[in-house]
Amino acid sequence: MDWHSVSAPQAVQKLKSDVDKGLNEQTAKKRLEESGENRLADKKKPSILKQFLAQFSDFCVIILFIACIISFLTGILEGNGDFVEPVVILSIVILNAAIGVYQERRAEKAIEALQKLSAPSACVKRGGKIKKIPSSQLVAGDIIFLESGDMVPADARLISCSGLKVQESALTGESEPCEKDAEAVFPADCAPADRKNMVFSSTTVMAGNCTAVVTETGMNTQVGKIAHLLASEDSPQTPLQLRLEKIGKALGIGALVICAFVFILGIFRKSGLLPSFMLSVSLAVAAIPEGLPAIVTIVLSMGVQRMAKSNAIIRHLPAVETLGAATVICSDKTGTLTQNKMSVTQIRNARQEILQSGDEARHMLLLGSLCNNSRASKKGKSVVFSGDPTETAILSAAHYAGENIFAPAEKYPRRHENPFSSERKLMSTVNTVGGESVLIVKGAPDVVAARCTRVSIGGSVLPISAALRRRIDEQNEQMARDALRVIAVAYRSASDGFEENNLIFLGLIGMTDPPRPEAAKAVETCKRAGITPVMITGDHIVTACAVSKKLGIFENDSRAMTGAQLDTMSDTQLAHEIADCRVFARVSPEHKVRIVKAFRARGEIVAMTGDGVNDAPALKAADIGCAMGKNGTDVAKNAADMILTDDNFATIVKAVEQGRGIYDNIKKAVHFLLGTNIGEILAVFAASLLGFAPPLIPIQLLWVNLVTDSLPAMALGTEKTEKTIMTRKPISPSKGFFSDGLWLDISLEGLVIGVLTMLAYSIGLFMFGAENIVLGRTMAFCTLSFCEIFHSVNMRSSLPLYKAGIFSNRIMNLAVILCTAVQASVVIIPPLADIFGVTPLTPIQWLIVAALSLVTLAVGEAGKIINMKTK
């Protein structure tokens, strides 16, 4: 159907809908079942089988498979029936692959859950009631409402619109926003770019508002028809993942060199070609840290799930790393640092404060409620307001002053609207009041007053003199000093046109918006953590400074700056002047971009909040863009790295803390994996150099890798954030992941594990009677496993365990118990002992293994205590 070629009433009729009531829920449900959800077809995911097979793409794993097959065939040809080792090795490798698939699936599900949390919603009329529903539930015939900043959720025919401009560049290639016209009708063969009476899915409302009827959803939309061209690519790896992948490859090459050396030594010592080959390849599979990027993904996904529960939804995983490095947080005042619960507390005319119950104040509130897009409805005995908090405050004050606010369209019909924009800082409507068309304007006092030529005081209209202008400024200043948000109201007859000039100044409405109770504490936490909090607002500079002082943002040596002052500065000058500036008032979204760039020019890592359509450039320019989940536009959310579902400054600070914690946990997991891998390599390499038989056989190496590398590493990812984390300075982006001596720590820990394993091997080999290689290997096998298990406990915190809490990580406790039990069972249960080439240990031998294994924990704890005392 060519919906652009019929009028709006015809389109509504053909879709069997109703402009006043919309679809009923039963009809909508039936249509949803017939047409499916309003979403584009997702990129096909690989099946579990494909993911499973992908686990065997690693070169060393393929070589190990070939070696096992050769071993199996050799057993057949030689007729010795020794198939146990190759079968068990293959089983361990397959089990490892299964664990890998589970981890990948878990990470995918976590990211899908986050995407659902940030899924767009649509404002729709169903059964005569206006409600918000997920955009995926829209069907043809739904009546939808769009305003500036919304992402168009489906193709729709306009019913009515006011000043509507839509950015359609993604669909049509046109760079300029397209002006729309609901009344127009176009030929059937009209190109999509010329259909001014339609809005299309995935485009953006840049200005104005509209009512429209949904015509097409999902793959039937214009964007759905080209969806194959827009198929989403795989999520890019985070910078940390890429760095670790490179490190893993470098370590892998080093491990392969050592494995090759071990193989050559084995051949030289006549250990047998196949056994030497199997040992070398098994060591390579166990020791090469090919799983580092996967561990990062898993720890990140677990971390962002926790953050989502704390009202911070991460849209891009790299933002988690950046959060830990944030040095400046630029926050909007209203709703983020304050409660966004506006209430009118003062009303003034050009000369003085007036009673809210008086006729002059009631007239001002009436006009303010007409030049207003918020709504009021009755719910039982109470009144429910919805819309912008500033506008709902005016609507509420008008209601309690005795005005009828429930059916303004009937009593005071609106003929025209010029929507609010952050550039103009005002909005206007034309309403019929008392049989006359009246132009009503409300907005920032300085902007509105500049457009006025007359003033109304006590019902008398006077020319506005210079003295009266000064008096208006004084009234505004006084209200700003009281930390009030101030809105001016003006009017005139609309008979002279709809231009917002030659107005009659009516007065000022002052609203209070109390700071959030938790904001001051969050500001203090920021300062302690080396992060500078900065307030950005469109309010008067006096209001901004008053509120910021209460919160602790503005201090004695701080500066405040207005948008007008920003306009007089070059980018270089601003970067120089911005260092001690803590408040920016009367700023526009364009100023926000300059503020971000100025801080970044000084080497700062900047988090910026935003909610409007014009905030998108600033959110993109910031290192971390934070969009508001409650009052933010779809455009802002799509441009952001993080969405705050409660629009709260304290949530940003909490997200920074959790971001630092996630980075810490990743560091702990990587630290643990590399240390243990180095220990395994050193033990086998040292034995080869010293001329001993290998202290571990292939099946044992692979088992240690399976048991100790998976569960403990994942458990480290669940570690709680350390209490001291917000007393540290931000993580410098220029600082390497392995800075501050981390490489030295990893190497020394690997050396300790390797030495203890060799010591256990030597004790078992020489101290219990005749040379017993099986006993030596058993003790080395157990010591290596338990060393690595205890080392994971050691990695839990930079603080000694008695301070961090020995049993505070329940998942780590379970991992340690399970890994210990599984490892012990391999030695204790005879059939398993035969498979793994070990022998039962006596109590004395178990004590020696335990004592040697605990050395790892003791050394680590001693290092922490010494480090703590030297700080």
Side-chain angles (χ1 to χ4, degrees):
M1 176 73 193
D2 297 315
W3 299 105
H4 56 279
S5 66
V6 298
S7 67
Q10 286 175 314
V12 173
Q13 186 181 9
K14 285 179 184 291
L15 289 160
K16 296 179 181 177
S17 188
D18 187 306
V19 174
D20 297 321
K21 295 181 180 178
L23 299 174
N24 61 47
E25 291 291 351
Q26 192 175 354
T27 303
K29 186 178 179 182
K30 187 179 178 184
R31 291 188 183 185
L32 186 64
E33 288 171 357
E34 291 171 356
S35 62
E37 288 195 342
N38 175 38
R39 62 171 81 242
L40 299 180
D42 291 327
K43 188 178 179 182
K44 194 175 180 183
K45 293 179 184 174
S47 64
I48 291 181
L49 180 61
K50 276 189 177 178
Q51 274 188 304
F52 182 72
L53 293 174
Q55 304 295 316
F56 303 106
S57 60
D58 182 74
F59 175 73
C60 289
V61 174
I62 293 168
I63 295 295
L64 186 60
F65 258 113
I66 294 168
C68 285
I69 291 165
I70 293 168
S71 177
F72 190 77
L73 292 172
T74 304
I76 293 172
L77 293 172
E78 291 179 356
N80 58 19
D82 186 15
F83 309 132
V84 175
E85 186 174 34
V87 169
V88 174
I89 287 174
L90 285 175
S91 302
I92 292 171
V93 172
I94 289 167
L95 183 58
N96 223 347
I99 291 171
V101 171
Y102 167 75
Q103 291 173 340
E104 284 182 17
R105 287 268 162 174
R106 182 176 173 180
E108 284 171 9
K109 283 181 180 177
I111 291 166
E112 283 171 10
L114 291 173
Q115 288 171 342
K116 284 179 184 175
L117 284 173
S118 58
S121 58
C123 187
V124 62
K125 187 178 279 185
R126 290 263 178 97
K129 293 181 180 178
I130 295 171
K131 57 170 73 174
K132 276 206 167 186
I133 64 170
S135 296
S136 60
Q137 303 301 299
L138 282 178
V139 295
D142 264 326
I143 305 299
I144 59 172
F145 303 92
L146 299 171
E147 57 187 18
S148 178
D150 285 347
M151 192 73 77
V152 179
D155 287 4
R157 173 63 166 89
L158 293 174
I159 297 170
S160 63
C161 64
S162 175
L164 186 66
K165 292 183 179 181
V166 182
Q167 179 59 264
E168 298 178 338
S169 57
L171 191 66
T172 65
E174 293 288 336
S175 58
E176 291 298 315
C178 176
E179 290 190 29
K180 297 293 182 176
D181 182 359
E183 302 299 323
V185 176
F186 297 95
D189 59 354
C190 178
D194 297 323
R195 297 173 190 174
K196 309 294 185 187
N197 56 6
M198 298 284 295
V199 286
F200 300 108
S201 176
S202 301
T203 59
T204 306
V205 179
M206 301 303 290
N209 53 63
C210 72
T211 304
V213 59
V214 174
T215 56
E216 304 288 354
T217 60
M219 295 302 286
N220 293 322
T221 61
Q222 289 294 319
V223 74
K225 291 171 185 176
I226 58 168
H228 62 285
L229 300 175
L230 303 173
S232 57
E233 296 177 4
D234 294 330
S235 298
Q237 288 185 301
T238 71
L240 180 57
Q241 284 174 309
L242 292 169
R243 285 208 304 272
L244 289 176
E245 195 170 29
K246 288 179 183 176
I247 290 163
K249 283 178 181 176
L251 290 174
I253 291 167
L256 283 174
V257 170
I258 291 173
C259 292
F261 184 75
V262 168
F263 173 65
I264 292 164
L265 274 179
I267 298 297
F268 183 73
R269 293 194 175 116
K270 299 180 180 177
S271 301
L273 180 65
L274 191 60
S276 298
F277 187 66
M278 289 284 282
L279 176 66
S280 302
V281 176
S282 299
L283 180 60
V285 171
I288 294 171
E290 69 282 336
L292 286 184
I295 284 292
V296 173
T297 303
I298 291 159
V299 176
L300 277 173
S301 64
M302 288 192 292
V304 294
Q305 283 181 83
R306 289 201 301 273
M307 290 176 79
K309 290 174 185 174
S310 302
N311 301 313
I313 298 171
I314 298 296
R315 295 188 68 248
H316 306 125
L317 284 181
V320 177
E321 297 169 39
T322 317
L323 272 169
T327 57
V328 174
I329 300 177
C330 296
S331 173
D332 290 314
K333 177 182 78 70
T334 305
T336 309
L337 287 162
T338 61
Q339 296 180 33
N340 212 10
K341 293 179 180 176
M342 299 280 189
S343 58
V344 175
T345 56
Q346 274 188 40
I347 298 179
R348 294 174 181 252
N349 61 21
R351 285 191 178 140
Q352 61 194 10
E353 185 175 352
I354 57 177
L355 290 174
Q356 289 190 43
S357 56
D359 290 341
E360 191 175 1
R362 283 187 61 178
H363 181 54
M364 196 187 308
L365 289 170
L366 171 64
L367 294 190
S369 67
L370 295 177
C371 183
N372 196 313
N373 285 323
S374 289
R375 301 181 186 92
S377 58
K378 289 182 179 178
K379 194 173 184 180
K381 292 183 179 180
S382 60
V383 180
V384 178
F385 297 95
S386 60
D388 177 76
T390 303
E391 295 196 325
T392 58
I394 295 171
L395 209 59
S396 174
H399 169 64
Y400 290 112
E403 295 295 338
N404 181 4
I405 59 170
F406 297 107
E410 295 172 15
K411 193 173 180 182
Y412 308 104
R414 183 182 291 186
R415 293 175 50 203
H416 175 75
E417 178 187 348
N418 196 354
F420 175 84
S421 77
S422 52
E423 290 80 17
R424 298 188 317 117
K425 292 187 171 61
L426 51 78
M427 75 171 285
S428 64
T429 62
V430 175
N431 295 72
T432 302
V433 182
E436 182 189 356
S437 288
V438 178
L439 172 69
I440 308 167
V441 178
K442 82 174 197 309
D446 51 339
V447 176
V448 173
R451 295 169 182 259
C452 294
T453 55
R454 289 165 290 169
V455 60
S456 174
I457 301 174
S460 301
V461 177
L462 311 169
I464 192 164
S465 62
L468 277 173
R469 286 194 185 279
R470 283 195 300 274
R471 187 63 184 153
I472 291 169
D473 288 343
E474 288 168 8
Q475 299 291 310
N476 186 26
E477 286 276 344
Q478 180 56 52
M479 294 171 88
R481 277 195 292 274
D482 294 337
L484 299 181
R485 165 169 276 195
V486 187
I487 298 293
V489 180
Y491 73 102
R492 69 166 170 80
S493 169
S495 58
D496 297 331
F498 300 163
E499 294 295 319
E500 297 156 335
N501 51 32
N502 297 319
L503 302 172
I504 301 169
F505 185 85
L506 195 53
L508 302 169
I509 301 173
M511 287 157 277
T512 184
D513 182 15
R516 288 180 180 267
E518 64 275 20
K521 186 179 178 183
V523 167
E524 183 57 36
T525 302
C526 271
K527 292 178 181 177
R528 226 177 22 248
I531 302 166
T532 303
V534 175
M535 177 191 283
I536 296 180
T537 179
D539 283 351
H540 194 284
I541 191 167
V542 178
T543 305
C545 288
V547 174
S548 64
K549 281 177 183 174
K550 285 182 183 178
L551 294 169
I553 293 173
F554 194 87
E555 297 175 313
N556 294 334
D557 56 347
S558 302
R559 290 180 58 201
M561 199 178 288
T562 65
Q565 289 172 303
L566 282 172
D567 289 333
T568 64
M569 295 183 183
S570 67
D571 290 343
T572 306
Q573 188 182 358
L574 178 59
H576 179 72
E577 297 280 342
I578 206 169
D580 57 355
C581 196
R582 298 292 175 267
V583 173
F584 294 92
R586 281 284 188 261
V587 296
S588 67
E590 289 73 22
H591 291 136
K592 278 188 169 185
V593 177
R594 291 194 66 203
I595 291 165
V596 168
K597 288 181 176 178
F599 274 121
R600 292 193 71 198
R602 297 183 62 85
E604 307 286 0
I605 303 299
V606 185
M608 169 67 81
T609 68
D611 54 9
V613 60
N614 293 324
D615 285 335
L619 293 174
K620 285 183 177 178
D623 296 282
I624 311 145
C626 308
M628 303 297 109
K630 281 185 178 178
N631 298 313
T633 60
D634 291 342
V635 175
K637 290 174 187 175
N638 285 334
D641 302 295
M642 180 170 74
I643 298 172
L644 309 176
T645 58
D646 60 355
D647 295 6
N648 194 338
F649 177 80
T651 300
I652 307 174
V653 180
K654 184 71 176 171
V656 170
E657 181 180 342
Q658 290 180 322
R660 290 186 179 189
I662 291 167
Y663 187 84
D664 257 16
N665 287 351
I666 291 170
K667 208 166 185 176
K668 290 168 189 174
V670 172
H671 187 161
F672 165 70
L673 287 171
L674 294 182
T676 54
N677 284 6
I678 287 171
E680 292 167 17
I681 293 170
L682 288 179
V684 177
F685 185 57
S688 299
L689 284 177
L690 294 171
F692 291 153
L696 298 157
I697 59 176
I699 195 171
Q700 294 169 350
L701 276 168
L702 293 169
W703 178 256
V704 169
N705 188 56
L706 175 69
V707 171
T708 61
D709 275 14
S710 51
L711 289 177
M714 288 177 66
L716 284 170
T718 66
E719 197 65 43
K720 290 178 182 176
T721 303
E722 293 186 17
K723 292 176 183 177
T724 58
I725 204 160
M726 289 303 274
T727 60
R728 306 179 202 163
K729 296 301 177 188
I731 304 158
S732 172
S734 60
K735 188 182 273 190
F737 187 77
F738 296 97
S739 58
D740 297 328
L742 184 59
W743 261 128
L744 181 61
D745 289 345
I746 289 170
S747 302
L748 289 174
E749 288 156 10
L751 180 63
V752 169
I753 292 169
V755 167
L756 291 170
T757 303
M758 278 302 297
L759 189 56
Y761 178 56
S762 301
I763 291 169
L765 195 61
F766 300 119
M767 287 187 64
F768 293 94
E771 186 175 319
N772 190 337
I773 193 164
V774 175
L775 177 60
R777 281 177 174 163
T778 304
M779 291 185 71
F781 179 39
C782 291
T783 300
L784 178 62
S785 289
F786 293 139
C787 273
E788 295 192 3
I789 292 167
F790 288 132
H791 188 47
S792 69
V793 176
N794 208 26
M795 288 294 98
R796 284 185 50 213
S797 174
S798 59
L799 298 171
L801 282 177
Y802 70 86
K803 279 187 173 288
I806 297 172
F807 303 110
S808 58
N809 186 339
R810 188 175 59 87
I811 294 173
M812 176 59 83
N813 297 338
L814 291 171
V816 168
I817 292 167
L818 182 60
C819 291
T820 303
V822 168
Q823 176 60 34
S825 66
V826 167
V827 178
I828 294 167
I829 300 170
L832 291 177
D834 291 340
I835 291 170
F836 283 89
V838 294
T839 186
L841 299 179
T842 65
I844 293 293
Q845 290 161 353
W846 274 118
L847 281 173
I848 292 169
V849 167
L852 289 171
S853 303
L854 283 167
V855 170
T856 311
L857 188 60
V859 169
E861 288 299 293
K864 291 179 192 176
I865 292 167
I866 293 166
N867 190 44
M868 193 172 66
K869 288 183 176 179
T870 54
K871 279 188 176 178

